[in-house]
Amino acid sequence: MSDPSQWPAIVTGGHGDIGGAIVGALGQAGRRSVKAAGRADFDLTDSDAIDAYFAADKTNYRIIVHCAGLNRPKTFDQLSADEIDESLRANVTGFLR
């Protein structure tokens, strides 16, 4: 599939406000294959869940839009090491797996 306008796309956080708007915009632009992936699809902090999802979904996604994330309503000094690690996995490294 050499036409970039037809490359399949996946949008993490695709059921949220920003991700949902991106899914809609991709659809309006004529993209035929757009997957809105949400928390029900896989947990971005769990590499095994991510691997299992993509093992079952055989789509060769060529576009990944990362809009999922964790919002912790705390100041940095109030976060535990585990909360910081979970936030980094969801917000930064999760979609790179």
Side-chain angles (χ1 to χ4, degrees), residues 11 47 52 58 68 71 80:
V11 181
S47 59
K58 302 297 185 192
N71 181 18
S80 70

Side-chain angles (χ1 to χ4, degrees), residues 54-92:
F54 286 105
D57 181 347
K58 302 297 185 192
T59 305
N60 181 21
Y61 293 106
R62 303 281 303 270
I63 298 170
I64 300 172
V65 181
H66 181 52
C67 291
L70 292 176
N71 181 18
R72 303 248 186 234
K74 298 179 180 180
T75 60
F76 188 75
D77 62 326
Q78 294 173 324
L79 293 169
S80 70
D82 287 340
E83 289 172 322
I84 293 168
D85 183 55
E86 183 182 40
S87 292
L88 287 172
R89 283 183 283 137
N91 299 342
V92 181

Side-chain angles (χ1 to χ4, degrees), residues 18-54:
I18 296 171
I22 292 171
V23 168
L26 288 170
Q28 287 178 350
R31 186 146 323 267
R32 293 187 184 159
S33 179
V34 179
K35 168 69 178 174
R39 194 169 295 159
D41 296 302
F42 55 84
D43 177 356
L44 282 171
T45 67
D46 181 347
S47 59
D48 291 336
I50 295 168
D51 290 344
Y53 177 84
F54 286 105

